[in-house]
Amino acid sequence: MSDGTAGSAAQHDPQKQFDLSQRRLTTRQGIDTEELTGRTFPYQFDPGLVEDIDLLAATPGDDLNWLEDIHLMEEDGIPAVFDRYTNAFLKIHFDIPSGREDEFARKVLIKHLQEGNSYGIWLKHQHAKFPQPELGPWLEGSATVGENWTPPTVERWDKTFTF
Amino acid sequence: MVAMNPPTDQETRGRNDIRGLAEPDAEAPKVARVEGGTATFDAADLSPRLVNLELRRLIYAEGIREVRIENPGAKHSIAVGLLARCRITINGSLGYFGATLGDGPEIHITGRVGWSVAENMMSGVVVIDKNAGSLTGAAMRGGDLVVRGHVGARTGIDQKGGTIVVGGNAGSMTGFMMQRGRQIICGDVGPGMGDSMYDGEIYVGGTVAALGVDCIEAEMTPEDEELLDRKLGIYRIDRPDTFRKFVCGKQLYNYDNLEPSERKLVL
């Protein structure tokens, strides 16, 4: 477990930590990461960008913890890892060394989460009801979201009713 | 037809706010004592809401990563919904739904727990030194849940990932509707084990009273032995001489025939 610096959490402005203007929320009902986010990410194409990720340091406990359930899978005939926070597959377009399939799937997923690119997590800015760290257990000192939640309103909805 | 005034917000909500939150105006009591990076507070006179507010204040706002709670008094719903890496020691017992909905925390409970401990855990570690009630690890998605004593019925019901380790015996319907993940039961298991399970593995060191529908025994592999050695080693639980492995017979369900969106629900 990383030793957090006291006072580091909840101090960051999400607008400064990540460029939120680069995030667009979809109005479609697609189920793939690329369709939901409208883009791809460099680490889907370059193994060098994920090679150094320390999976043990990135997970609680003395082994891989939740990553034990993460395996390299396939979507549309392309290797992919499942992002449970978005309920979508993230495709991996580089050649994965034989025998290291699960390792690279896990590293790509952790990179995706640590860089704040999981679409389901983007939704926290709009829908989180309680104050919480945006990137939870993956990034020390991540922004706080959910502090200013307001109930959604439906256009032309009138609360007055009669019996 | 009689026109009625709409209910006031207070009438609609009762004690809860629109989010369903009890004691919506409560604030963290700020009673913890911090020494050497570890915070300690006494929960004896605090409501569950205040205990959880204090935990969130320490972990989210103050960045404290080690917290100790004294006198938990078997309160319900303590240490829930924590989404950060931290270590929490609860010195005593909890009621129902303790340590649930966590993503990251490592929680050690020195006493017993009631129903549904670590329900819906996403990641992290929960260790209970004594016994746990029914529905232990219900709908758990990931992480390790360790009960050094015995557990009640329906352990890991609807489990979708992670590992449940039980040092003692497990009750009836263990692994009911289990969909993924692993259970390691060192003692005996009651009737109906693995009933209607879809996937996952249940390892049993003792006897099984009776298997549930579509649960069958499978051969142990070197990977299974490695898992058992590793998990029992990490949590320092004595390993029984032999284990038997049980899985889904897949006579009732086959994911390959499901629509893609349904398949994702269990990943």
Side-chain angles (χ1 to χ4, degrees):
Chain A
M1 187 181 74
S2 57
D3 57 342
T5 304
S8 61
Q11 305 296 318
H12 296 259
D13 180 348
Q15 291 286 351
K16 292 178 181 173
Q17 189 168 28
F18 297 108
D19 182 1
L20 302 190
S21 68
Q22 295 300 309
R23 300 179 179 179
R24 67 116 176 90
L25 301 187
T26 184
T27 55
R28 301 168 64 184
Q29 293 189 337
I31 53 175
D32 291 302
T33 293
E34 284 141 357
E35 183 178 346
L36 288 166
T37 61
R39 55 179 291 201
T40 57
F41 302 95
Y43 43 82
Q44 291 178 265
F45 300 88
D46 183 356
L49 296 177
V50 300
E51 184 76 62
D52 292 339
I53 287 185
D54 184 343
L55 294 176
L56 281 175
T59 47
D62 292 342
D63 59 7
L64 290 177
N65 201 256
W66 71 280
L67 289 181
E68 190 137 30
D69 290 299
I70 301 298
H71 304 284
L72 185 70
M73 303 180 79
E74 197 173 274
E75 178 80 335
D76 299 331
I78 297 172
V81 62
F82 188 73
D83 173 8
R84 66 186 188 180
Y85 295 93
T86 302
N87 206 35
F89 282 99
L90 176 66
K91 289 173 181 150
I92 299 174
H93 298 283
F94 57 78
D95 291 331
I96 300 174
S98 178
R100 301 178 66 187
E101 290 84 358
D102 287 350
E103 175 193 339
F104 271 96
R106 292 162 179 164
K107 286 182 171 179
V108 168
L109 178 58
I110 288 295
K111 183 81 168 174
H112 190 60
L113 294 169
Q114 288 179 336
E115 298 217 340
N117 291 329
S118 180
Y119 183 81
I121 301 301
W122 291 5
L123 297 177
K124 277 187 172 186
H125 282 272
Q126 190 165 335
H127 297 294
K129 293 179 178 176
F130 305 100
Q132 58 194 269
E134 181 194 19
L135 301 183
W138 319 300
L139 186 66
E140 189 73 29
S142 73
T144 298
V145 295
E147 290 179 300
N148 301 303
W149 180 80
T150 55
T153 56
V154 180
E155 204 172 327
R156 299 170 60 191
W157 171 254
D158 185 355
K159 289 174 71 175
T160 306
F161 60 93
T162 57
F163 289 103
Chain B
M1 185 178 293
V2 179
M4 302 284 287
N5 290 327
T8 64
D9 285 350
Q10 185 60 39
E11 287 169 338
T12 304
R13 298 170 191 166
R15 291 178 57 247
N16 304 329
D17 75 355
I18 196 169
R19 298 169 291 185
L21 185 64
E23 301 177 51
D25 299 323
E27 294 183 359
K30 299 183 179 176
V31 294
R33 185 180 70 254
V34 182
E35 288 177 5
T38 299
T40 304
F41 66 95
D42 191 323
D45 296 327
L46 303 178
S47 67
R49 170 89 169 119
L50 293 180
V51 173
N52 287 321
L53 277 172
E54 184 72 349
L55 272 174
R56 290 198 188 94
R57 178 185 75 83
L58 294 165
I59 295 163
Y60 293 170
E62 301 298 327
I64 302 290
R65 291 293 176 261
E66 302 263 355
V67 181
R68 183 178 180 87
I69 301 176
E70 300 288 352
N71 299 311
K75 291 184 170 77
H76 305 309
S77 305
I78 297 297
V80 301
L82 292 171
L83 311 178
R85 297 282 295 280
C86 58
R87 288 198 180 99
I88 300 170
T89 301
I90 299 173
N91 191 22
S93 298
L94 294 184
Y96 54 60
F97 287 93
T100 57
L101 297 160
D103 200 351
E106 297 171 38
I107 301 174
H108 177 201
I109 301 160
T110 65
R112 294 173 287 273
V113 296
W115 313 326
S116 297
V117 67
E119 178 254 8
N120 260 302
M121 176 164 66
M122 294 290 280
S123 74
V125 177
V126 175
V127 176
I128 298 115
D129 283 349
K130 296 182 180 175
N131 298 336
S134 297
L135 305 161
T136 296
M140 186 173 135
R141 284 234 172 217
D144 285 355
L145 169 56
V146 181
V147 180
R148 298 194 188 280
H150 306 300
V151 293
R154 294 185 172 85
T155 297
I157 181 174
D158 199 25
Q159 183 182 352
K160 300 181 180 73
T163 305
I164 298 174
V165 181
V166 177
N169 302 327
S172 62
M173 304 296 278
T174 294
F176 181 45
M177 294 198 301
M178 178 181 182
Q179 296 168 45
R180 283 181 95 207
R182 298 150 296 280
Q183 295 189 14
I184 301 169
I185 314 292
C186 294
D188 302 330
V189 182
M193 190 187 81
D195 192 285
S196 304
M197 66 188 292
Y198 293 57
D199 213 333
E201 296 85 32
I202 304 175
Y203 305 93
V204 181
T207 61
V208 178
L211 295 178
V213 173
D214 206 21
C215 180
I216 62 172
E217 184 164 4
E219 280 192 27
M220 293 282 289
T221 67
E223 290 76 20
D224 297 322
E225 298 289 352
E226 185 278 330
L227 172 85
L228 294 168
D229 286 342
R230 173 161 46 90
K231 293 295 185 186
L232 295 175
I234 287 173
Y235 299 108
R236 297 184 181 86
I237 292 176
D238 291 339
R239 180 184 166 148
D241 293 337
T242 59
F243 270 97
R244 297 165 70 192
K245 174 184 174 184
F246 299 89
V247 300
C248 176
K250 303 202 174 181
Q251 297 302 303
L252 297 177
Y253 308 101
N254 189 336
Y255 282 132
D256 293 341
N257 293 332
L258 295 177
E259 292 295 318
S261 59
E262 290 173 314
R263 170 187 169 211
K264 288 177 181 178
L265 289 176
V266 299
L267 289 176

